[in-house]
Amino acid sequence: MAIALALRVVSGLAAAALAALLLEYYGLAGPPSPLPQRRHMRRPHPAPGSGDRNIFWGLQISDIHLSRFRDPGRAADLEKFCSETVDVIQPALVLATGDLTDAKTKEQLGSRQQEVEWQTYHGILKKTKVMEKTAWLDIRGNHETDEGALVTGQRKQSEQPYDLVRTLHNVHYPFSITRNPVNNEGTLELELGDWKDNRRYRIFAFDHDLFSFADLVFGRWPVVLITNPKPLLYSCGKHEPLERLLHSTHIRVLAFSLSSIASVTVRIDGAHLGQAVHLSGPIFVLKWNPRNYVNGTHNIEVVVQDSAGRSQSAHHVFSVQENIHLTFDPLASFILLTDHCILARVLFVLIVLIQLATLITFRLLVCPQLKEPPGFVSLTSFSLHVLSKINIFYYSVLLLTLYTVLGPWFFGEIIDGKLGCCFSFGIFVNGHFLQGGMTFVVGILQLVFFNIPLMAYLCWSLLQRCFGHNFRSHLRKGKYLKIIPVHLLMLLLYTWQVYSCYFLHMTYGTLALLVSPLRTWLTLLTPVLVRCVWTLKSAELGAFMVQLKSHLSS
């Protein structure tokens, strides 16, 4: 009866926690839905045609990470970008969006503003006189401050003031753009690949209020951007006059290269449509009748060749119908639309509940008599019974799991000159509480790569004790291929735990290293607990040893 009640309590807690987390972010509570409004009629004109007005273009570069210690090519290529690329494309503005400098220590473990990196950045702008050629707008990122911004001006979810996980989550995905996951305005959130490692940049244009863009690799020419018809995948009916596609008279292309443009060839659905003619500057146009393409979707391809023989193509799917939509790549949508902080929180809670449920269940269950030759499952179950029935190991693992959830992980200098405590659910610093997001990722890593393996290692060691072995004798029984890998794996994970202490020290200083129960103290106590497994002499352990030996002898 007690066992059934305990199982119900644990199951109820698990279901309640999961439901609370889901309802908090996806539940019924929320702002009321706005009343349906009549769509404002927008003028179909001026529509894209043969003129060179009502169009401007710009460039975006992101995550430059000029570094004092790493990859001097970032600065050299940025200087070339500011001179050569900007000179050729002649943008109306350039957006440098975040992480202009690396702001890391030499070991790349801690954050520190390096004055020489800012001097390098300012020196490039001054040397190339780029701010005299165009409007250069730079936005600070998380490596310059504790806040960053995308083109949309919204804070990156990855930019939590917790350097320990920043390098894990601040990943630059090769997916360019997706629907904005923050609101339901039908806007687009730009996510540009980085300059730091990939030398990516973006050209964008507004042609008669229709937005288009292309993500490019630095140094590849020609540069091609089809501005009309614009891509269907990135159409924003609420914010763009898409009616102008149907009333347009010309296909419009921006083409740039180090050499003069020799030809601009246009194909639609594989059929050759003709050669676009040069209008002015980088603008090339080709007369078309969009009413020939009113049904369904179509594919446009433009091939540009310059006088030096270099060629580049661009293509996308378009439609002149307003009620047709395309879906994004599933992987890209998952990466950019998923709130990974919530996902990490749910996984963290589930892992903790599973581990607690396992411990408590085996603590309450009566150890059954072994009735057949013990296999892997029966021996695993037996070892869990041994662990949960011996108080010192049961309460040690239980306390470690609960402390990972509730206790402060460390106390130290979270921000320069500001002390604080870090928990799984957030950070207290300078009298303020910052709600946890990526801290749950660190908690998952701690559980998966140390807490749970330590529990499994203790179970395995206790099982060896029940077979009648001590540490020396179990090494002499000859099954090295089964024994040595277990110890080596645990040693490897213990090394990871030691390294995390070093990482903590380099990131947050000596105080954080000394006052870190989950890192430093646990690292020191683990050998004590392991030694206790191999030297413990207790009545409970003796009873399990007798039970297993009697079963094996029978």
Side-chain angles (χ1 to χ4, degrees), residues 207-245:
D207 190 355
H208 293 76
D209 298 327
L210 297 172
F211 174 74
S212 56
F213 77 98
D215 285 352
L216 310 167
V217 177
F218 171 70
R220 292 186 184 177
W221 299 96
V223 167
V224 187
L225 178 60
I226 306 170
T227 63
N228 185 66
K230 70 163 292 171
L232 174 61
L233 185 61
Y234 308 123
S235 297
C236 295
K238 293 183 179 180
H239 303 278
E240 294 179 288
L242 298 179
E243 303 89 346
R244 296 182 181 181
L245 289 173

Side-chain angles (χ1 to χ4, degrees), residues 280-543:
S280 66
I283 307 174
F284 290 77
V285 297
L286 176 65
K287 190 172 181 61
W288 80 322
N289 185 359
R291 298 188 182 277
N292 294 336
Y293 307 98
V294 292
N295 295 322
T297 61
H298 305 274
N299 192 295
I300 182 172
E301 180 183 13
V302 174
V303 180
V304 175
Q305 187 170 3
D306 65 14
S307 58
R310 293 178 293 248
S311 65
Q312 199 70 250
S313 66
H315 62 88
H316 61 246
V317 175
F318 74 92
S319 175
V320 296
Q321 291 181 257
E322 295 185 52
N323 57 348
I324 296 181
H325 303 281
L326 293 180
T327 58
F328 293 92
D329 177 80
L331 181 58
S333 298
F334 172 78
I335 291 175
L336 291 176
L337 292 176
T338 300
D339 191 328
H340 298 283
C341 295
I342 296 178
L343 181 62
R345 184 179 302 183
V346 172
L347 289 177
F348 179 77
V349 171
L350 288 178
I351 293 173
V352 167
L353 289 175
I354 290 173
Q355 188 179 15
L356 289 177
T358 302
L359 275 173
I360 297 173
T361 300
F362 279 91
R363 176 77 171 186
L364 297 176
L365 289 175
V366 177
C367 183
Q369 295 293 326
L370 298 173
K371 299 180 181 180
E372 55 185 21
F376 175 79
V377 175
S378 58
L379 288 178
T380 301
S381 175
F382 184 80
S383 66
L384 285 169
H385 276 289
V386 178
L387 177 76
S388 61
K389 298 298 193 299
I390 300 177
N391 288 338
I392 185 172
F393 303 122
Y394 171 75
Y395 287 112
S396 295
V397 176
L398 183 65
L399 178 62
L400 174 59
T401 304
L402 293 176
Y403 192 88
T404 303
V405 179
L406 304 174
W409 292 354
F410 68 88
F411 175 83
E413 192 176 14
I414 303 293
I415 303 175
D416 290 345
K418 307 296 182 181
L419 298 178
C421 287
C422 178
F423 295 79
S424 66
F425 48 84
I427 300 173
F428 290 92
V429 57
N430 195 33
H432 301 279
F433 174 69
L434 306 176
Q435 186 175 0
M438 293 309 301
T439 50
F440 287 100
V441 174
V442 180
I444 291 174
L445 295 176
Q446 180 68 31
L447 290 168
V448 173
F449 289 102
F450 194 78
N451 292 17
I452 294 177
L454 177 61
M455 175 180 166
Y457 180 75
L458 294 177
C459 288
W460 180 83
S461 300
L462 287 170
L463 186 62
Q464 302 304 312
R465 291 294 312 278
C466 290
F467 279 116
H469 298 292
N470 55 32
F471 187 78
R472 290 183 178 180
S473 64
H474 95 285
L475 293 174
R476 297 172 183 169
K477 64 180 184 177
K479 298 181 179 179
Y480 297 109
L481 294 179
K482 293 184 178 180
I483 295 175
I484 299 300
V486 176
H487 291 296
L488 288 178
L489 178 59
M490 191 62 221
L491 180 62
L492 179 65
L493 295 176
Y494 183 74
T495 304
W496 175 83
Q497 180 74 8
V498 173
Y499 176 76
S500 69
C501 297
Y502 170 74
F503 187 89
L504 183 66
H505 174 252
M506 296 302 298
T507 306
Y508 294 104
T510 304
L511 180 61
L513 177 68
L514 297 177
V515 191
S516 176
L518 193 66
R519 296 298 196 199
T520 309
W521 299 3
L522 178 59
T523 303
L524 297 176
L525 290 175
T526 296
V528 177
L529 189 62
V530 172
R531 185 180 184 277
C532 183
V533 170
W534 293 102
T535 59
L536 179 68
K537 295 180 181 179
S538 67
E540 293 90 346
L541 181 60

